[in-house]
Every structure is written in C-alpha cells, then in structure tokens.
Amino acid sequence: GQQVMQIPQYQHVQEGEDFTTYCNSSTTLSNIQWYKQRPGGHPVFLIQLVKSGEVKKQKRLTFQFGEAKKNSSLHITATQTTDVGTYFCAGPPGRKLIWGLGTSLAVNP
Amino acid sequence: KAGVTQTPRYLIKTRGQQVTLSCSPISGHRSVSWYQQTPGQGLQFLFEYFSETQRNKGNFPGRFSGRQFSNSRSEMNVSTLELGDSALYLCASSLVDPGTNTEAFFGQGTRLTVV
C-alpha cells in the first residue's frame, strides 16, 4: 500500500548543530505537508509544498520537495531547545493524508 | 476564532466497554479526520468525514465507527474496547479537504486508557 517513510526516527543534537529529516513516499504526491508536535502536544502545521523542486524557508527551517515529488526534507540550521519535538511529514496520494512515523528531535543545551 | 475542541480530554474505560469521543471543528471547516496515535506507530488514519459523509477510511476494524452532524461536529465510537485501543485520539479539521492545498488543524486529543 501507499507508504511514507521518515528517517531518522530519532535524532539527538547539541544546541547549535544542524538537523535534517527526510521523507520518502512510495507514490508521487500532489503535495506534502510538514507538522511539528511538541512533547505532550498535538501536531501543528508548519508548511505545505506543492511544486516539483520547491524550496521554502521559515527562519532557520528549510523545506524541500523533490523533483519527482516523492521525497521531501526539512533542515534546521543551528538548532535551539525550542526546536524539540517530533516532526511529521504527510502526503496525500489521494484525499487521505498518509503520515510518516515522524522524527523525534532532542536538543542538548 | 476558536480552535478544534475535543472532549473529553482524558478517559479511562474497562475492556469490553464502548466509548464515544467528540470533536468540534473550527467554524466553517467541513472536513473532519480522526487519527489514532500510539508510541512507535505514529499517526494512524481512522476516517475522514466531509459534509456528513464518510469519504475515506483507514485500516481499522469495524469496532471503530464515526459520524458527522450537519453542524460539522463529529463523533467517533469504539465498541468492545481492547487494551490495545489505549491511545491518543486526535481529530483534525480543515476548510475543505486535508489532501488538497489546505492545512489540517488538530485538537488537543482525547487520551483513552483501557484497563
């Protein structure tokens, strides 16, 4: 069936280091969305990418959508303790959002 | 405007019982999706309702059901509860369709514990 894989599952970094999570889909996606869930919280929308090869930035966060629209990445430059949480990608092969398992980020101050 | 409201926030039930969870979407949002979240399993899609019709369904047994009312409020029901049903149940609303160019707004979730 349709799957969205995310790697790594966990990442532990020192504050100030960079962080990247990757998302790969078994099928072409019409768009991909990224969400962040803080510990004890609920997923919060970060961004949506629609176009092939699209790159979007939000301050220290850079999001990319692959040329084939099957993969995506989220890169955080110079992590801060406020970046702690689980980052999910979600793709809609159809109308139903398929979610990756998420990458849990821990940041040592 | 008010966000997505889920009630109750916490629930403890016994095996074999049934439970009903409620979700009030953001005003004007017509799509409501339900997810089960457990450690290590991520977000598992249960079903999605749009204008009172179930449009998509995940791979869950028939014990899991839902409905949506004319005011877009949605309920999900789990019958004959099993220990494995213990999870955080999240509801997400979107303006039209979470699979198109609209974001999903999540509620705080209902933490269900089955003992």
Side-chain angles (χ1 to χ4, degrees), chain B residues 5 30 36-37 64 89:
Chain B
T5 304
R30 295 164 66 189
Q36 182 194 66
Q37 187 175 36
F64 292 81
Y89 290 88

Side-chain angles (χ1 to χ4, degrees), chain B:
Chain B
K1 59 184 177 183
V4 179
T5 304
Q6 287 189 248
T7 56
R9 290 290 310 278
Y10 303 93
L11 207 48
I12 299 177
K13 288 286 189 179
T14 305
R15 269 183 303 175
Q17 287 187 312
Q18 74 161 19
V19 67
T20 299
L21 312 181
S22 178
C23 172
S24 293
I26 291 172
S27 178
H29 285 197
R30 295 164 66 189
S31 172
V32 174
S33 298
W34 287 89
Y35 295 88
Q36 182 194 66
Q37 187 175 36
T38 54
Q41 293 297 315
L43 283 155
Q44 300 293 311
F45 173 78
L46 281 155
F47 24 66
E48 185 232 348
Y49 287 88
F50 182 82
S51 294
E52 302 178 67
T53 301
Q54 186 183 88
R55 289 199 304 187
N56 286 292
K57 191 175 189 304
N59 297 324
F60 278 81
R63 300 185 296 107
F64 292 81
S65 62
R67 58 178 175 169
Q68 186 180 34
F69 302 96
S70 57
N71 62 358
S72 292
R73 190 177 72 85
S74 178
E75 289 181 346
M76 69 162 280
N77 184 278
V78 187
S79 62
T80 320
L81 283 166
E82 300 176 0
L83 295 179
D85 297 332
S86 295
L88 179 67
Y89 290 88
L90 290 161
C91 160
S93 82
S94 59
L95 189 58
V96 175
D97 186 333
T100 56
N101 298 349
T102 58
E103 63 187 273
F105 294 83
F106 282 83
Q108 301 275 25
T110 294
R111 171 98 33 208
L112 171 65
T113 302
V114 182
V115 298

Side-chain angles (χ1 to χ4, degrees), chain A residues 9 30-31 33 35 37 41-45 48 50 88 92 94-97 99-101, chain B residues 35 37 40-43 45 55-57 90 97-104 106-108:
Chain A
Q9 193 173 356
S30 58
N31 67 79
Q33 301 176 2
Y35 292 77
Q37 185 173 21
H42 57 277
V44 174
F45 176 81
Q48 178 171 268
V50 179
F88 293 95
R95 287 198 218 126
K96 183 172 67 177
L97 275 177
W99 293 73
L101 290 181
Chain B
Y35 295 88
Q37 187 175 36
Q41 293 297 315
L43 283 155
F45 173 78
R55 289 199 304 187
N56 286 292
K57 191 175 189 304
L90 290 161
D97 186 333
T100 56
N101 298 349
T102 58
E103 63 187 273
F106 282 83
Q108 301 275 25

Side-chain angles (χ1 to χ4, degrees), chain A:
Chain A
Q2 297 154 338
Q3 287 188 320
V4 173
M5 309 297 290
Q6 249 186 287
I7 55 170
Q9 193 173 356
Y10 302 98
Q11 185 81 57
H12 207 143
V13 300
Q14 285 295 128
E15 191 171 21
E17 290 182 339
D18 291 356
F19 159 77
T20 304
T21 173
Y22 300 91
C23 183
N24 296 293
S25 170
S26 58
T27 58
T28 301
L29 304 169
S30 58
N31 67 79
I32 194 158
Q33 301 176 2
W34 285 90
Y35 292 77
K36 176 184 177 182
Q37 185 173 21
R38 293 181 185 273
H42 57 277
V44 174
F45 176 81
L46 292 176
I47 207 161
Q48 178 171 268
L49 304 171
V50 179
K51 299 176 185 174
S52 169
E54 188 170 14
V55 178
K56 285 188 176 180
K57 291 191 175 185
Q58 289 180 349
K59 296 182 181 178
R60 295 178 295 103
L61 277 61
T62 302
F63 302 84
Q64 289 188 310
F65 200 10
E67 294 291 340
K69 300 183 79 171
K70 283 188 171 185
N71 54 67
S72 181
S73 65
L74 157 59
H75 180 82
I76 302 178
T77 304
T79 54
Q80 300 175 357
T81 54
T82 53
D83 296 325
V84 165
T86 301
Y87 293 84
F88 293 95
C89 63
R95 287 198 218 126
K96 183 172 67 177
L97 275 177
I98 305 295
W99 293 73
L101 290 181
T103 296
S104 293
L105 173 64
V107 180
N108 273 352

